[in-house]
Amino acid sequence: MSDNRDDRLDAGLLRLIGVTLLGGIMGILDSTMVTVAADTLAEEFDTSLNAISWASTAYLLALTVTIPVTGWAVGRYGVKRLWLFGLVLFMVGSLASALAWDVGSLIVFRVVQGFGAGVLDPLVLVILARAAGPGRAGRVMGMMGVVLSLGPVLGPVLGGVVLESMGWRSMFYINLPIGIIALLLAVRVIPADPSDAKKSTAPLDVIGAVLLAPGFAATILALSQAGEHARFTTPSVLVPLAIGLLLLGAYVFHALRTRRTEPLIDVRLFTSRSFSASVTVQGLVGLGTYAGLFALPLYYQMLHGHGARAAGLLVAPLGLGAALAMPFAGRLSDRMGARTLVQGGAVVAALGAVALAFIDATSSETWSASAAFAIGLGLGAVGAPTMGSLYRTLPAEKVPQGSSVLYNLNQLGGALGVACVALILTAAGVGTTGSGTAMDAFHNVYWFVFAVALVILATTPLLPGRPESPTTAPRDGDAREEDEGTPSGKQSSPQPGDTSTSPVG
């Protein structure tokens, strides 16, 4: 396959992107759409909102626990077989959740659903990154970013529509026709692993799994509890946070010393400047995005008196801005590299946050929606180039591990963003509609988002430079930048026509 052909988005790749995103979008939507049914479920099962909240928390924890093990399973069982298994598991969990008879059964079945999502979500990144090749990673990640950006925003909106028109059980039944179509198309479109591909025979790093997966889960649980209670100084936060950090620290020690098995995640990846910068920036994107998604509906409800549905729709510009920016920024990053685009995106997001930091209760919704659109536009211009630069510099065999790190840090960033906003609002004593205290608190939230954008801006010099042209030799400076971005210190050479083992773009 020639370089020119390898550099365009052909029909086969577009089909693969569509089929992969169709399967992956179910888990993204389900992570947020069920939250709108909390009141209905509490009444249905005659239980408290706190108990119902565990249906969402359990899903998130199961997803988090599964992701690191999925990285190992890719090498052992192959991408296609694992993808089909994840789809079936997610549909089984969805069907069982729709048939739940009490809150306990719902939580258990949501865990099954979360396990399925934990297989699918990182595999979306692996499948598309491997298929993209070095010259197309930015564009492909930009297209995937549309789903990642709109999913958290559309989830509650879609959930509300389905809940009001068809009832809460249909929120789970709706996954079945989508899943069946995704399964049938995946059988035809997702390429099988090459027959001569060398399957990994490495046993599962059991000690690593026992340390890493619960470590991530406990940390996310602590941050989720901090957001729910708006306090860090409570046992429900401090205990899982201490356990999580202890387990993650123990995992690092284990991964550096183990010789018997390959660790689930090679922590030496973080010695690469560009890898560390890319996953850190992506975590910050999650932090800024979820801070905005959590605070904006409260602003519209508390200071403008809008209902939940109207407030949810007014948040849509943030996701829309990111969805519009990602494909465009991803395409440019394949030629320009990540740095300039990420710098520009960080500045736009910072300006949007400043605009929101000066609004008041009498400001037009048009003004606040435009500022939220600017934040989404800026963060979208950061996200796609960053993901493209990450996969451009990862050796092929490290793609599943890199995807696990990327996805988990984005989850941690999102949970931390919600927790920080809750703490800021609670510290200001928010609770009185239209009060000056509430307005001051929301200003502080967006100064916080402004600070996140500045940290992203400060991190950009560590990102890889301009990508190597497929047709021209790189300048010495560019070659050195790419070498610094690869953990091995060298760029692997793609094999023509081989999308399963070539280094991702």
Side-chain angles (χ1 to χ4, degrees), residues 237-261:
V237 175
L238 293 177
V239 172
L241 182 61
I243 292 173
L245 294 178
L246 181 64
L247 289 173
L248 292 176
Y251 174 79
V252 172
F253 181 78
H254 161 76
L256 290 173
R257 292 178 60 87
T258 185
R259 295 293 183 270
R260 298 179 181 178
T261 60

Side-chain angles (χ1 to χ4, degrees), residues 15-25 83 123-124 127-128 190:
R15 282 194 298 270
L16 178 62
I17 293 171
V19 170
T20 304
L21 293 182
L22 179 63
I25 196 173
W83 178 259
L123 281 183
V124 171
I127 292 171
L128 297 185
I190 294 182

Side-chain angles (χ1 to χ4, degrees), residues 345-379:
V347 170
V348 171
L351 292 175
V354 170
L356 284 174
F358 284 100
I359 61 175
D360 57 36
T362 63
S363 298
S364 168
E365 286 90 338
T366 302
W367 177 250
S368 55
S370 298
F373 179 81
I375 292 177
L377 201 68
L379 292 178

Side-chain angles (χ1 to χ4, degrees), residues 12-205:
L13 178 58
L14 291 174
R15 282 194 298 270
L16 178 62
I17 293 171
V19 170
T20 304
L21 293 182
L22 179 63
I25 196 173
M26 293 188 296
I28 296 171
L29 289 174
D30 264 50
S31 65
T32 57
M33 69 182 295
V34 179
T35 58
V36 302
D39 288 336
T40 302
L41 291 171
E43 182 177 350
E44 173 78 14
F45 295 133
D46 191 22
T47 188
S48 66
L49 286 174
N50 185 57
I52 290 297
S53 70
W54 277 97
S56 294
T57 302
Y59 175 90
L60 177 61
L61 296 181
L63 183 152
T64 305
V65 166
T66 310
I67 286 173
V69 180
T70 299
W72 164 82
V74 167
R76 189 65 177 267
Y77 300 107
V79 170
K80 184 169 185 176
R81 185 184 302 179
L82 203 58
W83 178 259
L84 298 178
F85 170 75
L87 282 173
V88 172
L89 187 60
F90 187 85
M91 286 191 289
V92 169
S94 298
L95 177 60
S97 296
L99 299 174
W101 55 88
D102 59 22
V103 66
S105 62
L106 178 63
I107 292 171
V108 171
F109 297 145
R110 284 283 280 169
V111 167
V112 176
Q113 207 182 20
F115 286 148
V119 175
L120 295 175
D121 288 355
L123 281 183
V124 171
L125 297 172
V126 173
I127 292 171
L128 297 185
R130 285 182 169 179
R136 303 179 292 188
R139 279 168 286 173
V140 171
M141 291 300 151
M143 296 175 71
M144 186 193 72
V146 174
V147 175
L148 293 178
S149 302
L150 290 179
V153 177
L154 294 180
V157 176
L158 178 62
V161 172
V162 174
L163 179 66
E164 291 187 4
S165 58
M166 295 184 286
W168 71 267
R169 295 185 189 274
S170 296
M171 298 174 72
F172 300 107
Y173 280 133
I174 198 173
N175 289 320
L176 299 181
I178 298 174
I180 291 171
I181 294 172
L183 185 69
L184 294 175
L185 291 176
V187 170
R188 294 175 58 87
V189 174
I190 294 182
D193 292 278
S195 57
D196 58 347
K198 185 178 180 181
K199 293 289 181 66
S200 172
T201 58
L204 175 65
D205 178 14

Side-chain angles (χ1 to χ4, degrees), residues 36 104 134 142-143 159 187 206 214 263 267 270 346 419 436 463 465 467 491:
V36 302
M143 296 175 71
V187 170
V206 176
V267 295
F270 288 93
L463 293 170
Q491 285 282 51

